[in-house]
Amino acid sequence: MLEYSPMAKRFIRISLAVKFRLLFGPALLVVIGAALMVPWYFMEVLSEQSVEAPTRELTRLRLAEWQRVHQKNLTDAHKNSRVVELYTAGKRSAGEAVSPHAPFDPEAEIREGPVFRIINVSLPKKDLDRPAQKARKFFVKNPEKRVVWRKARNMQDKPVYRGFRAVRNTAACNECHKDNRKPALRFAPGQLIGLIDVTLPTSAASVSQLWWARSAIIAGGVFAVVLALVIFSVIAHRIVLRPVRKLRELSDKVADGDMTVRSSLRTGDEWQRLGESFNEMLTAITDQHNKLRAANRAVELNLIEMGERNLALFEANQVKTEFLANISHELRTPLNSIIGFADLLCESEEERTARYGTNVSTAAKNLLAMINDMLDLAKIEAGKANVRFDKVSAIDSCQTILTLMQPLADKKNITLLAAIDAKTPIISTDGGKLQQILFNLVSNAIKFTPSGGMVTLSVQPSESRGASLPEEVLFAIADTGPGISEADQAHIFEKFYQVDPTLTKETTGTGLGLAICKELAMLLGGKLSLHSATGEGTTFSLTLPIREKQ
């Protein structure tokens, strides 16, 4: 059964719910604050515009009183004005001494006016303070306007409102003053001739109502923020946070190895679709795991079956090897007897009997050679081949093989050459096994080389890359025979394998010689290789270490 390693869980410092509140709260404050700025601004504007009504009414009454009385001394006209007297009643003017018997006025409002201010035609700014000058400029640029008010400060540096009404020349004025020859009283129709100036306290702007309105706006904004946060928290919890928490719990169970859990979200939106996709993914993973589990079981069964078969084959091979070793040993004794009696028949004076004896002797010797090869190979495969390492002269071994193989080469009219490097060192190996390898290779070379050919046995030290002294000795057996094709080279060292019979119809063999040479070379710690091409001869190379490998 497959096991699931637990998924690494990361420590979450800030939850998604807290992030929602932290991000939505300031955003909501900005939105509601921006929305409340508009009524805040207009409430202040409306509060200040409430000054216009008393300004308009006071200046209208003063203008009507002046038109009715029409005093010639305009500078002191306000001293006898009933409107000014009523407006400033109960309030002290600038510079007025405070009577100890006067009632206490907590607001200390200073009302002034309405005062009639004359505009000099040649010096329009004369006798006008800065608020009055600004009002004159406004009326000059806007002849259709009658009343304007400005924020200002009185002589006690307290905030007040200054209201102004424009007094213009009319047709009635021209009719009344047509015979007047004073240049100062001659004005163009509609020309600004004066201002009615009135000072109003800040209480005229309904400041207390403005602050109540501002407090109401702030309280409404705070209530809206709190209510929006509560509603958003409920909505976010139901629509976002709850599905996220369920999916997170589901993923944690899957990470812990529980593949049977499934999502049960029924929100009818993308969350439900995400849960269904999660379920489909879990189903697909479970199916894949089941398939992998079944495949693993099948592989395990196959491995067990293959192991049993390999064991059976190994045991059968051991039995076969032991059988071949035993039967080969048992066959050698009668074969030697047959060869001995056949050799006696060869010495018979009767030609027919001698010929039969020669045939029997030749066949028996071939059979004995085959049995010897099979016995050697069986011992090697069974691990019973004994290797005795000793100091061996590679030069003497090559000369011995050349001496033994010279009669066979002369018989086939083949030139047997030696290329021996006198610097070849003494090596540590099994001399008998080495001579067996060289004997097989040289005999094969003579066997497959046509008459008139040449076989060369060479030996020389082989230097390894990066080593100052040679570590190996190279034996090479080269012939001028028909060569071996690439297809045959891949199988040439297999047991009982022989090249194309058309090339070897005149030779005999079991196909075990090269296989035995390959195994013996490996036992000695060396390697056997070949280089050949069709029609160019063959070269077998045997490489052996100079010192015994530990």
Side-chain angles (χ1 to χ4, degrees):
M1 181 176 180
L2 295 176
E3 297 182 356
Y4 303 92
S5 59
M7 184 184 298
K9 299 179 181 179
R10 297 180 179 178
F11 179 75
I12 301 176
R13 295 185 178 180
I14 302 178
S15 64
L16 186 60
V18 175
K19 288 182 179 180
F20 265 103
R21 296 187 183 99
L22 292 178
L23 294 176
F24 181 77
L28 186 63
L29 289 175
V30 172
V31 172
I32 294 180
L36 294 180
M37 286 298 295
V38 177
W40 180 284
Y41 172 75
F42 279 102
M43 284 294 297
E44 186 171 355
V45 171
L46 291 175
S47 176
E48 291 182 351
Q49 286 182 350
S50 63
V51 179
E52 184 176 354
T55 299
R56 184 181 297 275
E57 187 63 19
L58 287 172
T59 55
R60 185 189 66 80
L61 291 175
R62 182 68 184 91
L63 178 61
E65 182 185 32
W66 177 77
Q67 289 177 346
R68 182 174 60 83
V69 176
H70 206 68
Q71 296 173 326
K72 293 182 179 181
N73 187 3
L74 297 178
T75 304
D76 298 331
H78 64 280
K79 295 181 180 180
N80 299 322
S81 171
R82 184 63 176 170
V83 175
V84 174
E85 181 182 357
L86 292 175
Y87 178 63
T88 58
K91 302 295 178 180
R92 61 185 178 86
S93 300
E96 180 182 355
V98 180
S99 172
H101 303 288
F104 176 71
D105 188 357
E107 295 183 356
E109 297 171 342
I110 299 177
R111 299 186 178 93
E112 295 182 2
V115 178
F116 192 93
R117 299 185 182 280
I118 302 172
I119 297 177
N120 193 325
V121 177
S122 59
L123 297 173
K125 296 182 179 181
K126 183 179 180 182
D127 298 332
L128 297 179
D129 57 6
R130 180 165 297 185
Q133 292 179 9
K134 292 182 178 180
R136 185 193 67 81
K137 290 181 180 180
F138 175 79
F139 288 132
V140 170
K141 293 181 179 179
N142 302 277
E144 73 281 359
K145 298 292 183 178
R146 294 184 179 181
V147 176
V148 68
W149 55 271
R150 294 281 188 274
K151 286 183 178 180
R153 287 187 174 274
N154 61 2
M155 297 179 64
Q156 287 76 29
D157 198 28
K158 293 182 178 181
V160 294
Y161 289 100
R162 295 278 297 275
F164 300 91
R165 173 179 284 271
V167 179
R168 300 181 182 276
N169 182 30
T170 62
C173 294
N174 291 332
E175 183 67 23
C176 181
H177 296 280
K178 63 180 180 179
D179 295 334
N180 196 327
R181 296 180 180 179
K182 293 182 179 181
L185 297 179
R186 295 176 183 177
F187 301 99
Q191 182 178 354
L192 183 65
I193 59 176
L195 299 173
I196 297 179
D197 179 9
V198 61
T199 301
L200 290 88
T202 56
S203 59
S206 302
V207 177
S208 60
Q209 295 180 1
L210 175 63
W211 282 109
W212 277 108
R214 289 177 176 176
S215 300
I217 291 175
I218 294 174
V222 172
F223 177 74
V225 170
V226 174
L227 182 61
L229 286 175
V230 172
I231 294 175
F232 175 78
S233 298
V234 174
I235 295 175
H237 179 74
R238 291 182 176 272
I239 297 179
V240 179
L241 300 180
R242 182 183 295 176
V244 169
R245 186 182 68 253
K246 290 184 176 180
L247 289 177
R248 184 189 63 192
E249 294 174 354
L250 181 65
S251 63
D252 290 341
K253 291 180 180 179
V254 173
D256 293 335
D258 187 3
M259 302 296 291
T260 61
V261 295
R262 292 293 183 271
S263 173
S264 59
L265 290 176
R266 295 293 180 269
T267 58
D269 53 14
E270 287 78 2
W271 288 116
Q272 180 176 346
R273 177 56 187 160
L274 181 60
E276 293 173 353
S277 300
F278 200 84
N279 292 339
E280 294 174 359
M281 180 186 67
L282 289 177
T283 302
I285 293 175
T286 303
D287 294 341
Q288 291 294 329
H289 287 170
N290 292 333
K291 292 179 181 179
L292 288 174
R293 190 178 294 111
N296 288 337
R297 290 176 181 173
V299 171
E300 290 176 358
L301 293 176
N302 291 334
L303 289 176
I304 294 173
E305 184 178 357
M306 291 176 62
E308 294 175 350
R309 290 182 180 180
N310 289 335
L311 181 59
L313 290 173
F314 178 77
E315 293 176 351
N317 187 54
Q318 289 292 105
V319 173
K320 181 263 300 181
T321 302
E322 293 177 0
F323 171 76
L324 289 177
N326 294 330
I327 196 65
S328 299
H329 181 72
E330 297 298 330
L331 289 175
R332 296 174 71 178
T333 300
L335 279 175
N336 286 327
S337 299
I338 294 173
I339 293 173
F341 284 110
D343 290 339
L344 291 176
L345 293 175
C346 292
E347 297 176 357
S348 176
E349 295 179 356
E350 186 179 354
E351 181 181 358
R352 183 178 180 182
T353 301
R355 187 172 67 253
Y356 287 163
T358 302
N359 292 338
V360 172
S361 177
T362 301
K365 289 179 180 179
N366 291 335
L367 181 58
L368 181 60
M370 181 183 299
I371 291 174
N372 288 333
D373 290 343
M374 293 178 63
L375 180 60
D376 291 340
L377 187 59
K379 287 182 178 179
I380 293 173
E381 291 181 347
K384 295 181 179 180
N386 296 324
V387 181
R388 297 180 179 86
F389 286 92
D390 197 1
K391 300 296 182 179
V392 177
S393 173
I395 297 176
D396 292 343
S397 298
C398 291
Q399 291 176 348
T400 301
I401 294 299
L402 291 173
T403 302
L404 292 175
M405 301 281 39
Q406 188 63 51
L408 181 61
D410 294 339
K411 186 177 180 180
K412 289 193 63 176
N413 193 23
I414 294 175
T415 303
L416 186 60
L417 300 178
I420 299 176
D421 190 345
K423 295 181 181 179
T424 303
I426 302 297
I427 62 176
S428 178
T429 186
D430 189 324
K433 299 293 189 296
L434 174 59
Q435 288 193 2
Q436 185 177 354
I437 295 172
L438 296 177
F439 183 86
N440 286 338
L441 295 176
V442 174
S443 63
N444 280 345
I446 295 174
K447 184 188 302 184
F448 290 99
T449 301
S451 178
M454 183 172 56
V455 175
T456 304
L457 173 60
S458 61
V459 61
Q460 61 182 4
S462 177
E463 295 183 359
S464 300
R465 182 176 300 177
S468 58
L469 297 176
E471 297 181 355
E472 295 177 335
V473 171
L474 174 62
F475 299 87
I477 296 91
D479 62 51
T480 58
I484 303 174
S485 64
E486 293 184 1
D488 290 327
Q489 290 180 28
H491 307 282
I492 196 66
F493 292 108
E494 296 178 1
K495 291 177 289 187
F496 302 104
Y497 182 82
Q498 293 182 334
V499 296
D500 191 353
T502 58
L503 300 176
T504 61
K505 60 185 179 180
E506 296 181 356
T507 63
T508 59
T510 62
L512 294 175
L514 291 179
I516 293 174
C517 292
K518 183 79 171 179
E519 296 293 336
L520 291 176
M522 294 176 63
L523 284 175
L524 298 178
K527 60 181 179 180
L528 180 62
S529 60
L530 70 92
H531 175 74
S532 180
T534 304
E536 298 181 2
T538 303
T539 301
F540 283 90
S541 299
L542 172 64
T543 304
L544 294 178
I546 295 177
R547 288 168 291 277
E548 179 183 355
K549 292 184 177 180
Q550 301 298 328

